Amino acid sequence: NSEDVRCKCICPPYKDHSGHIYNKNVSQKDCDCLHVVEPMPVPGPDVEAYCLRCECKYEERSSVTIKVSIVKLLA
């Protein structure tokens, strides 16, 4: 299920841009700053330096398990 995978990039402040967290449903091989950070907050010459500061992590989860756990908690 495409809703059960995502790439999360945490980008700290850079120059005059504040820090930001980006989430996007992409494949594990595309889990990097260039594929996830949209719109890119910095101009072309700063993209590489900006992306090197970002930490991107591929995450998988089971929404069915989460829903069942919540139902059990509420019961």
Side-chain angles (χ1 to χ4, degrees), residues 11-73:
C11 301
Y14 178 78
K15 294 189 176 178
D16 59 344
H17 299 280
S18 60
H20 196 76
I21 297 174
Y22 299 89
N23 292 300
K24 190 171 182 184
N25 291 336
V26 296
S27 67
Q28 190 169 8
K29 72 176 184 68
D30 289 335
C31 184
D32 59 42
C33 174
L34 294 175
H35 289 98
V36 176
V37 176
E38 291 180 355
M40 186 60 67
V42 296
D46 286 334
V47 169
E48 184 177 1
Y50 181 80
C51 281
L52 285 173
R53 298 169 58 86
C54 296
E55 181 181 330
C56 296
K57 183 177 175 185
Y58 185 74
E59 300 176 339
E60 294 182 65
R61 64 182 184 174
S62 171
S63 57
V64 172
T65 301
I66 294 168
K67 289 175 186 174
V68 169
S69 297
I70 291 173
V71 168
K72 285 182 178 180
L73 285 173

